[in-house]
Amino acid sequence: MNITVGLSDILLISPMIAIFLASLVPITTKVLRGNREQHPMVTLTQALIGLIIGIGLLIVFGGAGKTAFNNGLIFDGVTQWMGVIALAAAGASLVMMYENPATSGKQFSELVFLAMNSAVGMLILVSAVDLLMVFIGLELMSLALYLMIAMSHEEKLSKEAALKYFVLGSFASAIFLYGVAFIFGSTGGTNILAFMDQAAELVQTSRLFLFGIAFVILGFCFKVSIAPFHAWTPDVYQGAPTPHTAFMATAVKTVSFAAFLRIIATKSLVGSDYLFDVLQWLAVATMIIGNTAAILQNNFKRMIAYSSVAHSGYLLIGVITAGISDNAAFGASGVIFYLLSYGLMTLGAFAIASMLERSENHIVNIDDLAGFAKQRPIYALCLTVFLLSLAGIPPTLGFFGKFYLFNAAIGEGLLWLAIWGMISSVIGVYYYLRPIVVMYMREGNAEIAGRSLNATTVTAVIMALAIVLMGFVSGPIFAAVEKSLI
């Protein structure tokens, strides 16, 4: 097959090109300076400029539904929204890396290079409609991330986290690739667009295709922490440097769900009641396990890790809804809107956690927050906003994220899933309120680390303001997302 590359293809992938070229600037400068690190602020500025250019190009050239490289990549509303969310999350994570003791220092240029290339992998993943392109994006994103975690100045937990993430991530990729082989064997191709119209029928008539799509879905269940494939999440989130944890919990989750959404959009669930039922029960199990396990945690990052598992369950409700709905745009819009709100509140929570870390070996426990409201009232207020939004308390953005997800599910007759979602949300309120109670009602000497935290502070305050203000204009935002998908 002859594949011709034209100017339109280059323009469509220009965000990836811009980010990759920007990633080369700090590391090339370091080489030319005799392996001497330039000022970290300069490195951060160069990276942020690259990401901003990437976001701008994605907004300009994405969203029109055009395809590139022989229909291997598509640039539609999902690509545009999910890509922008992921790149913005990457930018906020880089700001945290600049001021966190586990990530700043002699290898900051290398760290930025890896983070930017992981972002390139994310853009490939979010726009890929060929399963082999999905695999390429997945591996580029993941391999850079494994190295980033292992580069932490912390000597023990980060190395353990990198190894666990590498082994289990490789296992998930192998399962995914095994499923792709089955799909290729049954359809003669790996392009989702080529077999999308026949997928519902193929699931019923071809056991080979059914096994293939099941393995592909299983691979993504590992990536997005769906129970019982979530066991790696708390260990990796705790062991990784806090900025990397924020990066994984937001940007990586966003693009993984984008690819998951494209797989489910083939309507395979419509053709297989068994697949449909299994995914529903996985969503319920994920919400319940994530929220109940979070109650038992005293380590702040492990609590947010199990919270992330529960939120994957909520998002899976939206993915299932989009997979069976005649108006898939409504279900997909709920997923995108939820990822937007989830990204803001999770990044903010990890930004506060990063401020509390005095060294690369410091562990932040919930009990350590005692007296935080008295010592640092602004930071405590920001953390309160993030936790209330994660709990889904109105009028925060998190409440409206759950509202749109559950509303779409009820509209498709998935009332029982929505009820389980609401029950799980009620369970989650307990552990989200616990840090707030500790901050405001216990005496203590909680204090932020004694170093410059101006950039992280600005990031946290912006996130908190966005969560509150965007909650009041959630309707127009959701309408804009839905309109871009039609």
Side-chain angles (χ1 to χ4, degrees), residues 87-108:
L87 292 182
S93 301
L94 282 171
V95 171
M96 285 186 251
M97 291 176 202
Y98 164 68
E99 292 181 333
N100 189 277
T103 53
S104 58
K106 295 181 179 180
Q107 293 182 309
F108 190 61

Side-chain angles (χ1 to χ4, degrees), residues 2 8 69-70 99 138 150 160 164 175 178 180 201-202 209 221 224 239 249 270 324-325 349 365 369 406 431 433:
N2 292 323
S8 61
F69 297 99
N70 201 41
E99 292 181 333
L138 206 56
E160 179 187 343
K164 284 182 177 178
I175 291 175
Y178 192 46
V180 173
E201 182 182 349
L202 282 169
F209 183 83
C221 285
V224 298
V270 176
I324 64 170
S325 175
N365 291 319
L369 295 171
F406 297 158
Y431 65 82
L433 289 181

Side-chain angles (χ1 to χ4, degrees), residues 220-221 224-228 230 253 257 260 279-291 305-321 335 338-339 342 402 405-406 409 414 417-418 420-422 424-425 431-432:
F220 276 110
C221 285
V224 298
S225 307
I226 299 298
H230 69 289
K253 187 181 287 285
F257 265 108
F260 200 0
L279 273 184
Q280 289 185 83
W281 281 110
L282 287 180
V284 173
T286 303
M287 292 184 288
I288 298 298
I289 291 172
N291 280 315
Y306 278 111
S307 161
S308 175
V309 172
H311 285 279
S312 291
Y314 301 137
L315 284 160
L316 187 54
I317 294 177
V319 171
I320 293 170
T321 304
V335 173
Y338 196 92
L339 283 165
Y342 172 77
K402 288 182 180 175
L405 267 186
F406 297 158
L414 300 176
L417 269 185
W420 273 111
M422 288 183 275
S424 301
S425 298
Y431 65 82
Y432 287 126

Side-chain angles (χ1 to χ4, degrees), residues 333-346:
S333 300
V335 173
I336 293 173
F337 187 89
Y338 196 92
L339 283 165
L340 171 62
S341 61
Y342 172 77
L344 288 170
M345 49 205 186
T346 304

Side-chain angles (χ1 to χ4, degrees), residues 127-143:
S127 58
V129 284
D130 189 290
L131 293 173
L132 292 179
M133 292 298 292
V134 171
F135 180 74
I136 291 170
L138 206 56
E139 290 309 295
L140 178 57
M141 173 186 77
S142 300
L143 289 172

Side-chain angles (χ1 to χ4, degrees), residues 22-38:
S23 75
L24 295 175
V25 175
I27 201 166
T28 303
T29 304
K30 183 174 181 178
V31 170
L32 295 176
R33 285 166 53 90
N35 203 34
R36 286 186 298 113
E37 192 78 45
Q38 62 182 348

Side-chain angles (χ1 to χ4, degrees), residues 15 54-65 74-88 123 126-127 254 258 262 336 480-481 483-485:
I55 290 172
L57 291 171
L58 192 59
I59 293 172
V60 171
F61 295 112
I74 189 169
F75 294 83
D76 55 6
V78 173
T79 303
Q80 195 173 53
W81 280 99
M82 299 281 213
V84 169
I85 293 170
L87 292 182
L123 288 185
V126 84
S127 58
T254 295
R262 293 199 191 279
I336 293 173
V481 174
K483 183 179 178 182
S484 70
L485 302 183

